[in-house]
Amino acid sequence: MPRPYLNNTSARRLFLDLHLLLRADPGPGRGEDLDAVLHGLGFVQIDSVNTLARAHDLILWSRRGQYRPRALQSLVAHRRSAFEHWTHDAAAIPMAFYPMWRAKFARDEARMRARWPAARRPGWTDELDRVLRHVADNGAACSLDVANGEERGSSGWWDWHPSKTALEFLWRSGRLAVCHRQGFRKFYDLTERVIPDAQRNHRIADADIVDWAMSSALDRLGFGTTAELAAFFEIVTRDEARAWCADALASGRILEVDIEMADGSRRRCFSTEALLDHARTLPSPSARVHLLSPFDPALRDRGRAERLFGFHYRIEIFVPEAKRRYGYYIFPVLQGDRLIGRLDAKRSGTTLVVRAFWPEVDVRMGKARTAGLVSELERVRHLVGADAVEYAKGWLIESAED
């Protein structure tokens, strides 16, 4: 029998709907509603870059326009319904997933012990017991609190002093947990003083963790290759992922499907009957314009974004067909099920400064689309605490040939 097939429009809409971007939802963006958003996405990447808003705040705001930054901190620091740890990068993760992270703690510890001696300044292993004892005796601590008279590194972001490396090692291996932040600075405490007993004491077999990670990734992507499913949470190995896909395919839990890419080619992926049925029932998207974070989960896999949406998105890239070079941290802009362009904007004091908007090669900025973009910028102004939006002369680039 021929494999099921999803055309590109249906595939985009399924993918965006599972990423909570296809349909508007007027939820309040805090408390239980924000818990549901985080659970639906699986995790939200936390990043320090703040030209307009921090990545995690813009990601959540793009799903819930009423969201404000303190709401995510509340989930981690007060409600304890989310915890901070690592997927492909630092992330806020639903607390319900904590038992599955035990496998990641062990694997990350083995990886750090193998790689960090060559990648980090020496002496950090000697600091492990002292740093752990300091936190146990004194409570929540940041890297400044555990510093041991060490000189700060000067060769880059990751040039940590040994006690900072020890603190991060203890966090990544599960012995400490992030209990709260002040500004963007992490404070760590003993895991048993942060993670609720129900999640901390719950034990799950390794095979069940693999099954959960792969199934949950598929439910949030809609379709994917073995590598894409394994990369979602970065818990399972590629060998485990291949074995899981083979077994799930043989038992009928998943099926192979052809997904049409933006260039008309077909890519063989895995999906489920339920997900394909869901794709067939989705409504057309609204015409609302969405400003996205460069780290939005829908765009984290740059290769997938290019294949599925025809959107070539990299940091500091030259796009020959557009005859343009885009600088660092340019914001993607979504309308409906299309990525329509890139925005260069930053917050300067109490002003949101819009320096340029470049539409994609086949996108024309008519009055309605331009008005939609302006409306979105007015909405994000409230998130970033700006009093006004200022547009640079010639900010709207009319066509790719200009």
Side-chain angles (χ1 to χ4, degrees), residues 19-42:
H19 282 83
L20 311 182
L21 286 170
L22 189 73
R23 293 178 278 184
D25 193 315
R30 60 182 183 275
E32 292 183 359
D33 178 64
L34 190 61
D35 281 329
V37 173
L38 189 61
H39 190 278
L41 293 175

Side-chain angles (χ1 to χ4, degrees), residues 9-10 46 50 53 74 109 124 128 130 147 169 195 222 230 237-238 246 264 286 315 318 326 363 376:
T9 297
S10 297
I46 296 175
N50 193 14
S74 176
E109 176 168 354
W124 63 270
L128 291 172
R130 185 191 67 82
F169 178 91
I195 305 300
T237 67
R238 297 302 185 266
S286 73
I315 297 298
F318 178 70
Y326 301 100
V363 171
E376 180 74 346

